[in-house]
Amino acid sequence: MGISDRKEREKLEMRKRIISAAMEMFIHDGFEKTSIRNIAEKIEYSPATIYLYYKDKDELLYEVQGVAFAQLLDAFMNDVEGTTPIERLEGLMRTYVNFGFKHPDLYDLMFIMRSPMRAVDDEWPNCDEAFRFLISTVEPCMELLRFSNISTAALSLWTFTHGLVSLHIRDRIMILGMDEEQTRALVNAAVDEYLQMIKK
Amino acid sequence: MGISDRKEREKLEMRKRIISAAMEMFIHDGFEKTSIRNIAEKIEYSPATIYLYYKDKDELLYEVQGVAFAQLLDAFMNDVEGTTPIERLEGLMRTYVNFGFKHPDLYDLMFIMRSPMRAVDDEWPNCDEAFRFLISTVEPCMELLRFSNISTAALSLWTFTHGLVSLHIRDRIMILGMDEEQTRALVNAAVDEYLQMIKK
DNA sequence: CAAATTTAATAAACACTGTTCATAAAATAA
DNA sequence: TTATTTTATGAACAGTGTTTATTAAATTTG
């Protein structure tokens, strides 16, 4: 049936129209400050229409989260290069921090925001892939690193970079009393030092 | 003037009544889910009354933040013991993580929540003290640690523990697919390993 | 093609939120 | 006792996410 094909295509287009507007506004103003009414206004539809395509506001977040994780994975695959495993791991860490500093609002809704987590057993699209990228980057380094196993290794590496990015995004690093530039330099220095420490 | 003394006393009592209710509800339901109307209902006053004692909802948060930082400082002073500087540093790290796991909602509004940061040049009561405790605990260890200076040292130590706590509080660690108990064990293992790595 | 039916879109309402302001009540001063 | 200041509140404003009954459009059927 060509007619139901078109209908489905239109449905997908509408979902895309909604999610594009939503993502743009989430990045620009943040999730909380973006209202369903604002999104509706932007795409020139009624607020109620959005609920025909998405169950609730959280579902918009899930969708944007998926896109964001895909972007992070993209950054990993494009920017992480190097001949040795260790070089690749270092690249991964720097890419992660870079991503956080470059896209604070995306990072926020991926790793900091409350609520966006679905049920535990649910699939978390693109996030698992990004995490697996981490695992597969750490794995070949394990013999050269001081971690006792890959679980603590992955968690520790993630924790360190996430700590830096999240303290920065939520404006806590400024306790140190530095300007933006100094802060960034200090963060880079911390990453460099950490990368030294984990090596055997 | 005895009469204006009493008035001031009553004003303080009222502020305390409000902030106690607020804190209790922030801890129980979180900041966002606690409404001015709920707080007002709890202390059996009209919502408008609260605005006679606090400028807005954020000011309630600032106040609770102050109390929370005082509690963290308290935990530091009570639980951090040890004869050697390194032992004290290890105690500090474990106390910090413990605090975060024990009081997730307090930790949240201290280190994760958006907006609670006042102007940069403002005083941040009790937070600075807690931070200075960190500095003064790290300082005597510096010669035994692999950090190049105390700034990166303080930031790195804080970052690592904050990373662990905040990933846990915002339900991101569960990507590892572990239960609460396993997670806590892994977190402790990560802290232990990190404490080994930073030593010369 | 016209009528019946399904699909899509919306206006209006509900129950909330933080916050303000004019009004009323209580406490103090004159 | 009256006048004045302080304190408390009800009602309203502008906003939020979400639901529902109603209308308009598109599709299928006779």
Side-chain angles (χ1 to χ4, degrees):
Chain A
M1 262 306 227
I3 203 157
S4 62
D5 283 2
R6 176 177 56 83
K7 284 239 168 184
E8 197 161 327
R9 213 167 52 233
E10 283 174 350
K11 196 146 203 158
L12 281 175
E13 275 169 25
M14 188 63 170
R15 279 177 70 96
K16 189 157 196 172
R17 212 171 301 141
I18 293 170
I19 218 62
S20 296
M23 185 160 183
E24 206 174 302
M25 297 173 81
F26 289 171
I27 291 173
H28 197 267
D29 309 315
F31 178 77
E32 249 89 50
K33 286 185 182 171
T34 303
S35 73
I36 299 289
R37 282 174 179 81
N38 295 155
I39 299 171
E41 199 175 358
K42 182 154 196 164
I43 61 173
E44 295 177 294
Y45 277 84
S46 136
T49 303
I50 291 176
Y51 287 89
L52 298 177
Y53 296 88
Y54 288 96
K55 185 174 140 282
D56 52 23
K57 201 186 172 190
D58 277 346
E59 212 164 82
L60 294 178
L61 188 57
Y62 300 146
E63 197 95 357
V64 172
Q65 252 186 356
V67 179
F69 277 117
Q71 285 191 20
L72 177 61
L73 193 63
D74 235 55
F76 282 167
M77 298 203 283
N78 290 325
D79 301 353
V80 175
E81 40 196 26
T83 50
T84 71
I86 292 281
E87 271 175 21
R88 286 179 57 77
L89 179 61
E90 292 175 348
L92 180 76
M93 295 282 277
R94 295 206 177 89
T95 301
Y96 186 95
V97 173
N98 252 322
F99 183 91
F101 273 74
K102 234 196 217 164
H103 312 290
D105 286 278
L106 285 184
Y107 189 93
D108 203 300
L109 89 225
M110 288 190 274
F111 294 112
I112 306 182
M113 264 201 54
R114 205 155 219 159
S115 93
M117 307 298 297
R118 322 160 100 124
V120 184
D121 52 321
D122 241 42
E123 283 289 297
W124 206 16
N126 304 329
C127 173
D128 296 332
E129 281 91 320
F131 190 72
R132 252 175 283 155
F133 194 102
L134 166 64
I135 296 289
S136 65
T137 308
V138 180
E139 237 250 288
C141 307
M142 280 306 286
E143 284 151 34
L144 304 165
L145 300 178
R146 302 172 69 194
F147 298 107
S148 61
N149 62 72
I150 194 150
S151 289
T152 55
L155 178 61
S156 296
L157 291 161
W158 181 24
T159 283
F160 192 85
T161 47
H162 168 74
L164 288 171
V165 174
S166 62
L167 283 176
H168 171 255
I169 286 180
R170 295 298 238 243
D171 291 323
R172 295 310 196 280
I173 284 192
M174 66 170 213
I175 298 176
L176 306 178
M178 296 174 164
D179 60 38
E180 179 84 11
E181 207 176 341
Q182 288 175 309
T183 298
R184 190 63 220 265
L186 185 66
V187 166
N188 287 336
V191 172
D192 290 344
E193 279 193 2
Y194 183 66
L195 290 172
Q196 283 305 313
M197 290 184 187
I198 62 176
K199 287 187 226 164
K200 264 178 185 161
Chain B
M1 264 304 231
I3 204 156
S4 62
D5 284 1
R6 177 176 55 83
K7 284 239 167 184
E8 198 160 329
R9 212 166 53 232
E10 282 174 349
K11 195 146 206 159
L12 282 176
E13 274 168 26
M14 188 63 170
R15 279 178 69 97
K16 189 156 196 172
R17 212 170 302 142
I18 294 170
I19 218 62
S20 297
M23 184 159 185
E24 206 173 303
M25 298 174 81
F26 289 172
I27 291 173
H28 197 267
D29 309 315
F31 179 75
E32 249 89 49
K33 287 185 181 169
T34 303
S35 72
I36 300 289
R37 280 174 179 80
N38 295 155
I39 299 171
E41 198 176 356
K42 181 153 195 164
I43 61 173
E44 295 177 294
Y45 276 85
S46 137
T49 303
I50 291 177
Y51 288 88
L52 299 177
Y53 296 88
Y54 289 96
K55 183 174 141 281
D56 53 24
K57 202 187 170 188
D58 278 346
E59 211 164 86
L60 293 179
L61 187 57
Y62 300 146
E63 197 95 357
V64 172
Q65 253 185 357
V67 178
F69 278 116
Q71 284 191 21
L72 177 62
L73 193 63
D74 235 54
F76 281 166
M77 299 204 284
N78 290 324
D79 301 352
V80 175
E81 40 198 24
T83 49
T84 72
I86 293 280
E87 271 175 20
R88 287 179 57 78
L89 179 60
E90 292 174 348
L92 179 76
M93 296 282 276
R94 297 205 177 90
T95 301
Y96 187 94
V97 174
N98 252 322
F99 184 91
F101 273 75
K102 234 196 218 164
H103 312 290
D105 286 278
L106 285 185
Y107 189 92
D108 203 302
L109 88 225
M110 287 190 275
F111 294 113
I112 306 182
M113 265 201 53
R114 206 155 217 156
S115 94
M117 307 298 297
R118 323 162 98 123
V120 184
D121 51 321
D122 241 42
E123 282 290 296
W124 207 17
N126 302 331
C127 173
D128 296 332
E129 281 90 321
F131 190 73
R132 252 175 284 153
F133 194 102
L134 166 63
I135 296 289
S136 64
T137 307
V138 180
E139 237 250 287
C141 307
M142 281 306 286
E143 283 150 35
L144 304 165
L145 300 179
R146 300 173 70 196
F147 298 108
S148 62
N149 63 70
I150 195 150
S151 289
T152 55
L155 177 60
S156 296
L157 291 161
W158 182 24
T159 283
F160 192 85
T161 47
H162 168 74
L164 287 171
V165 174
S166 61
L167 283 177
H168 171 255
I169 286 180
R170 296 299 237 244
D171 291 324
R172 295 312 195 281
I173 284 192
M174 64 168 214
I175 299 177
L176 307 178
M178 295 174 164
D179 61 38
E180 180 84 11
E181 207 176 341
Q182 287 175 310
T183 297
R184 190 63 220 265
L186 185 66
V187 166
N188 287 336
V191 171
D192 289 344
E193 280 193 4
Y194 183 66
L195 290 172
Q196 282 305 313
M197 290 183 186
I198 61 176
K199 287 187 225 163
K200 266 179 184 161

